[in-house]
Amino acid sequence: MAAAAHCISAEHLIQASDAGIHALAQANVIACLLPATSFCLDKNYARARDMISSGVAAAICTDFNPGSSPNLNLQFPMYLACLKYKLTPAEALTAVTLNGAAAINLSAQIGSIEPGKQADIVVWDAPDLDYIFYRYGSNLVYAVLKNGNLVDTARGTR
């Protein structure tokens, strides 16, 4: 339905048929996937690997809400995307950054570190990208910058 309506993204996408995945790919619709919702509701996980293999861009979201995903930590859905969707850490990072920005039609302004883009940056306390997913139960955020300005720093111990 999102493809037929020429939507930028298909929100809350947990289930999609082969035909639906093909339609999303043909229409360049971004699939907004919610692994923490599937976890919390004990439901099936989206067919993200099939979507990506078919050319569908995937965005990973927390879907923070009190009913089906009371999770504020984006690191957990990123971990679930690797574990349950079989995404690589690089694919999961792209899904929460550039593809997330593209899903709200803002990829020209945010979502990656490039000249001319707004400097919204999370600095991780991790030796490499894989470590962020390995330590999913720990808040590894060291600092947060919004439009180039420091807005938060690490609190407590890890």
Side-chain angles (χ1 to χ4, degrees), residues 11-67:
E11 306 297 322
H12 292 81
L13 189 58
I14 293 177
Q15 295 187 25
S17 65
D18 288 342
I21 292 171
H22 178 75
L24 292 172
Q26 292 300 307
N28 291 318
V29 175
I30 298 161
C32 292
L33 309 178
L34 314 168
T37 301
S38 294
F39 174 84
C40 187
L41 297 178
D42 196 22
K43 298 292 183 185
N44 290 334
Y45 287 83
R47 296 172 51 202
R49 182 82 269 145
D50 292 339
M51 291 177 192
I52 292 169
S53 295
S54 296
V56 176
I60 303 297
C61 316
T62 64
D63 189 33
F64 174 71
N65 72 76

Side-chain angles (χ1 to χ4, degrees), residues 2 16 68 105:
S68 62
N105 204 27

Side-chain angles (χ1 to χ4, degrees), residues 93-94 96-102 106-122:
L93 184 62
T94 298
V96 299
T97 56
L98 189 57
N99 291 354
L106 290 177
S107 60
Q109 294 88 17
I110 60 173
S112 60
I113 301 172
E114 299 178 61
K117 286 193 172 183
Q118 185 172 310
D120 296 343
I121 301 170
V122 173

Side-chain angles (χ1 to χ4, degrees), residues 48-149:
R49 182 82 269 145
D50 292 339
M51 291 177 192
I52 292 169
S53 295
S54 296
V56 176
I60 303 297
C61 316
T62 64
D63 189 33
F64 174 71
N65 72 76
S68 62
S69 187
N71 171 48
L72 285 173
N73 184 338
L74 186 56
Q75 195 175 331
F76 182 59
M78 291 167 66
Y79 164 76
L80 286 174
C82 292
L83 179 68
K84 296 296 189 176
Y85 293 164
K86 307 303 182 203
L87 271 61
T88 65
E91 288 172 326
L93 184 62
T94 298
V96 299
T97 56
L98 189 57
N99 291 354
I104 57 173
N105 204 27
L106 290 177
S107 60
Q109 294 88 17
I110 60 173
S112 60
I113 301 172
E114 299 178 61
K117 286 193 172 183
Q118 185 172 310
D120 296 343
I121 301 170
V122 173
V123 179
W124 301 92
D125 183 11
D128 56 41
L129 180 61
D130 292 350
Y131 191 77
I132 296 167
F133 300 91
Y134 173 71
R135 291 291 303 270
Y136 67 90
S138 302
N139 181 3
L140 297 176
V141 173
Y142 178 77
V144 177
L145 293 92
K146 179 70 176 161
N147 202 21
N149 298 307

